[in-house]
Every structure is written in C-alpha cells, then in structure tokens.
Amino acid sequence: MDNNIVTLFKDNFDFSFKAATYNNIRIAIQTFEQFKKNNEAFFSLDKTETLFGHLRTYAIEKQFNDSAFNPKSNYSVSIKQVNNYKYKTLCIETNDFIINVGYTNSKCKLLPVSSYKKEYAKANSGLSMQLSFNFSNNTPKIVESKKYAQITYGYCYGKITHLDIVLPSNDYKKIEHSTNLLENIKVYETYVPEDLVEESIVTLKKSLVKKVEKIL
C-alpha cells in the first residue's frame, strides 16, 4: 500500500469527520430503535427482520444526507446508480475519497463484494500524480482520481458493536488501513449539542414514517 494514500486517508478523515460520522450513526440507530419501540404491535411478524434492515439502512443514509447540508460539514453526498438493475447507493465524498457506508457482521470486514465497489477500489493502487492544466491561467495542477474508503458498522440489540473507516486494497480482497471510531466516543458525543441530536432524531423519525408508508 502506498504510504501517500494512508497520509491522504488521515488528512481526509480528521477529527471533525470522525465525530460527524459517529454522531450520524448514533442518531440513526437511536431513531431506528425508538421507531421500532413505538410500533411494536405493527412489527410483530417474523418476516419484519428484512424490513428492519432496510429501514435501518435508510435511517443511516438519510442522516448522512441531511447532515451534509450543515455549513460546517466537510463532506458532500450523492446518490449514484451503480449497476444495470438501477440499484442506487449513497456515496459520501471528501476532497480525495468516495465512501460507502454499510453493515458488516464483524469488525475488520469489507462490505459485501460488488462490481462497483471493486471498480472504486482500483483507485487505491497508488497516487499517479498526473499533471493537468488549468486553462484559465495555464498553471499545471495535480489531478488524481478519488480514492475509495468505507464506513462499516455493526449493530446488535440496539447497540453499535463496531464502527470503523476502512481502506480497501486495490483488488478489494483485504483492508489496508483502518481507524476505530469507538475509541473516542465520549469526545465525539460532545461535538454535537444534545438538543441538536434530539432535533435530528425527531426529524429522522418523521422520515421513517413516510418511508414505511411508501413501502406498504
């Protein structure tokens, strides 16, 4: 693994990004748990586990999407169609990385393999340092395709079991570098005022209600 990519990784995923990521996951999980509890009678069939997974994913992606509009946010989001079956996924973007977020059964695992993830990961082979020209002032500028990372989380009985930002190898077979976001949660939790957390939960819960109405 190119050490320059690891440096790029550390530069892009600084304290503010880590804190925002942790709080987005925390808000989404708390919202999902409250939503489940408030609708226990409705979600009483065994087959609701599939729906739960869908709604949890929706809550997380919606929270990242909404938080990206915060003026202090250092990332943007977009919804990209990633295969011929019109499957769409949320992509979080920093200056130098495209990031997907998703659930893994255990720590130190990549998200399930797919063609688009393998394609994104190819950019992690190294820094090509290609030169391009800014035609407005004829100044050479380094142009580099965005690297690829993932936010992976675990969840069990309402608790976050692991939460990491990982850097896949360029062949998408292993993790080259990672950072554990659960090591500093007390510090991260002070990054977002509690009243804003509660406000976000209320807003996100309304979105979940609308999502369920569309599904049903």
Side-chain angles (χ1 to χ4, degrees), residues 59-146:
I60 289 171
E61 292 188 347
K62 185 70 167 62
Q63 179 57 31
F64 270 100
N65 180 77
D66 292 351
S67 68
F69 292 98
N70 187 318
K72 295 182 180 180
S73 175
N74 58 354
Y75 56 87
S76 61
V77 296
S78 60
I79 303 294
K80 296 183 185 296
Q81 182 175 316
V82 292
N83 61 28
N84 293 331
Y85 301 101
K86 297 185 178 181
Y87 176 80
K88 296 179 180 180
T89 188
L90 179 83
C91 289
I92 303 163
E93 296 192 38
T94 61
N95 288 334
D96 304 297
F97 280 85
I98 293 175
I99 309 108
N100 290 139
V101 56
Y103 172 88
T104 56
N105 289 323
S106 61
K107 188 178 175 62
C108 298
K109 278 195 173 183
L110 295 171
L111 298 178
V113 65
S114 63
S115 296
Y116 78 89
K117 292 168 193 163
K118 290 175 70 174
E119 192 63 33
Y120 281 151
K122 288 178 181 179
N124 293 354
S125 59
L127 299 186
S128 62
M129 306 299 284
Q130 295 177 345
L131 282 177
S132 165
F133 280 89
N134 182 337
F135 292 102
S136 62
N137 56 17
N138 226 23
T139 304
K141 179 184 178 183
I142 299 294
V143 174
E144 188 70 39
S145 60
K146 288 196 174 185

Side-chain angles (χ1 to χ4, degrees), residues 9 12-14 17-19 21-22 97 99-100 107 148-153 162-168 175 177-182 188:
F9 181 97
N12 279 250
F13 306 131
D14 57 8
F17 185 91
K18 292 176 184 177
T21 295
Y22 168 73
F97 280 85
I99 309 108
N100 290 139
K107 188 178 175 62
Y148 182 56
Q150 296 178 342
I151 297 168
T152 61
Y153 74 94
H162 60 271
L163 178 59
D164 304 276
I165 305 175
V166 302
L167 184 68
I175 294 173
H177 186 75
S178 66
T179 182
N180 177 9
L181 272 61
L182 295 187
Y188 295 153

